[in-house]
Every structure is written in C-alpha cells, then in structure tokens.
Amino acid sequence: EADIYQTPRYLVIGTGKKITLECSQTMGHDKMYWYQQDPGMELHLIHYSYGVNSTEKGDLSSESTVSRIRTEHFPLTLESARPSHTSQYLCASSYDGGTEAFFGQGTRLTVV
Amino acid sequence: AQSVTQLGSHVSVSEGALVLLRCNYSSSVPPYLFWYVQYPNQGLQLLLKYTSAATLVKGINGFEAEFKKSETSFHLTKPSAHMSDAAEYFCAAELINTGRRALTFGSGTRLQVQP
C-alpha cells in the first residue's frame, strides 16, 4: 500500500482565493511530482522535484508554485484561483530511475 | 522529444475475452515503460513495468506486457477479462540517460467489460 497522502480530496473554492494542496509521503523518496488531469484525459506533469530545495517546472505550463523544504512534503499553491484551474491534481513520488512512482488519491479542485 | 501513444481511447470487450491495449513510444533509446490502472476517483496503481530485463513482463491481476524494440511497442494483454478490469489504463515512459527523470503518460484507454 502506497504511503502518499493528499489533502483535501475535494475542494470547491471561489475565484481569487489562495489555496494550497498538500502532499506528503513517508517512503523517503527523493523524487516527487505533481500532475494535472482533466476528467477522462491524460496526465500532464506540472512540477517535479529531485530533493529538498529542488523544484522544476514540468511540461504543462501552470500558474501554480511548489516548494520542497522537507523530503516528505511537496505542497502546491495557487495564489489566486480561477475557474480554468478546475481539474484533478495528482501527487506522486519515487526513488530514482526505473522505479515505480506511487500516486496519491488526488485532489479534485473546483473553482467557482 | 519523447512521446507515448495509446491507440484507442475506448476499448470494449466481453467478459472472458482477450484484452489488448496498445502502447507505442518514440525515443531512440528504449525508455523504462510502465502500465498503470486508474479506477474512478482514485490515484494510479502500477500494473507492471519494463526496465530492460525480461521483455515479457508479468504484472498484477493477470496482466502482462511485451516489450518489442523493433516495433517500439509495449502492449498490455490479459487472456480473460473480468468485470473488475473495467477502468482507465495509462501507459507511461521514463527516458534513460537524460537530465529529466519523470514519467510521460499516454492519453489513456478506457476499458469496458461487457457481461
């Protein structure tokens, strides 16, 4: 069973609000990722990290930001939520190359 | 740039029939390859992975996949479909020998199993 947790599972919030999606893992993985997934669609990498104080942007441009102050924690922040941010956000973590990435349950964000 | 292509966004089979989900990758160096399954409102769960060992890889729930370098393919199969196999399936690749080590996903294939 994967030990990676995302909170909240569901979030409905008004336009212009600041939000932080939490992701934590207890497996000691150095690599962590955020993917964005619209319903029934593919996953797009928006952020990743190779370790503490390392963050990189992914393939899909995103207005969100991330931080990696602790190995186990990789929160994603939107300073001002907009309806276009409505989507599912999946966090994942892994050891180095060729190893399985473990996924959290996801956060389904709706901005109204 | 690497890409992962899944042919067929929807596949429907009868219970007990063969399941075949197609995946092709495009990179000059064979990447690590993975198949994940996603049930509604859930995260992704690994079915199996190829990391340059055996070309025929067996995974959970009776699934297996064969890596074919000549065809740049990594198709997923299961001899006999169960109703519980209905889900979204994603093929993913991780490039080797690059600075970036993150999974690139295909667009997914929704498997329906008819009784």
Side-chain angles (χ1 to χ4, degrees):
Chain A
E1 187 174 323
D3 295 316
I4 179 164
Y5 308 100
Q6 290 185 245
T7 57
R9 285 292 312 276
Y10 303 92
L11 178 62
V12 180
I13 200 163
T15 297
K17 299 292 186 182
K18 178 180 179 179
I19 60 170
T20 296
L21 308 185
E22 301 288 349
C23 176
S24 294
Q25 51 97 4
T26 59
M27 296 172 281
H29 290 163
D30 286 326
K31 295 170 67 177
M32 295 190 74
Y33 320 84
W34 277 102
Y35 288 87
Q36 185 175 339
Q37 182 188 30
D38 290 326
M41 303 295 286
E42 65 196 283
L43 284 76
H44 294 284
L45 182 69
I46 53 175
H47 299 284
Y48 60 103
S49 167
Y50 290 138
V52 172
N53 295 325
S54 153
T55 61
E56 302 285 345
K57 289 193 177 296
D59 301 320
L60 182 67
S61 175
S62 174
E63 293 168 347
S64 59
T65 60
V66 292
S67 62
R68 190 89 183 275
I69 298 172
R70 303 196 318 264
T71 298
E72 63 271 22
H73 195 213
F74 192 42
L76 180 146
T77 298
L78 275 166
E79 291 292 334
S80 179
R82 295 208 300 267
S84 60
H85 297 139
T86 295
S87 189
Q88 174 160 251
Y89 294 84
L90 290 165
C91 181
S93 71
S94 72
Y95 289 115
D96 205 355
T99 61
E100 174 183 0
F102 291 89
F103 282 80
Q105 300 268 52
T107 294
R108 187 170 296 281
L109 173 66
T110 302
V111 183
V112 297
Chain B
Q2 169 182 264
S3 69
V4 176
T5 303
Q6 291 184 240
L7 292 175
S9 58
H10 289 82
V11 171
S12 182
V13 300
S14 298
E15 192 172 18
L18 171 72
V19 175
L20 171 61
L21 305 182
R22 300 177 186 275
C23 174
N24 289 85
Y25 66 91
S26 63
S27 64
S28 56
V29 177
Y32 297 130
L33 293 160
F34 306 80
W35 275 100
Y36 283 86
V37 61
Q38 184 180 34
Y39 298 100
N41 298 317
Q42 299 292 320
L44 277 69
Q45 178 184 6
L46 181 73
L47 281 176
L48 48 79
K49 64 181 180 182
Y50 167 77
T51 56
S52 73
T55 56
L56 182 62
V57 181
K58 294 186 183 299
I60 63 171
N61 301 338
F63 284 93
E64 62 182 37
E66 186 173 9
F67 171 72
K68 292 187 177 180
K69 184 178 178 180
S70 60
E71 299 178 5
T72 62
S73 70
F74 190 56
H75 301 332
L76 182 71
T77 60
K78 182 173 180 178
S80 177
H82 294 164
M83 297 296 291
S84 60
D85 294 328
E88 188 88 19
Y89 291 80
F90 291 93
C91 182
E94 180 179 335
L95 276 181
I96 307 170
N97 301 328
T98 67
R100 199 190 95 166
R101 307 296 292 273
L103 291 173
T104 298
F105 283 85
S107 56
T109 297
R110 182 168 299 278
L111 175 66
Q112 292 180 311
V113 182
Q114 307 292 339

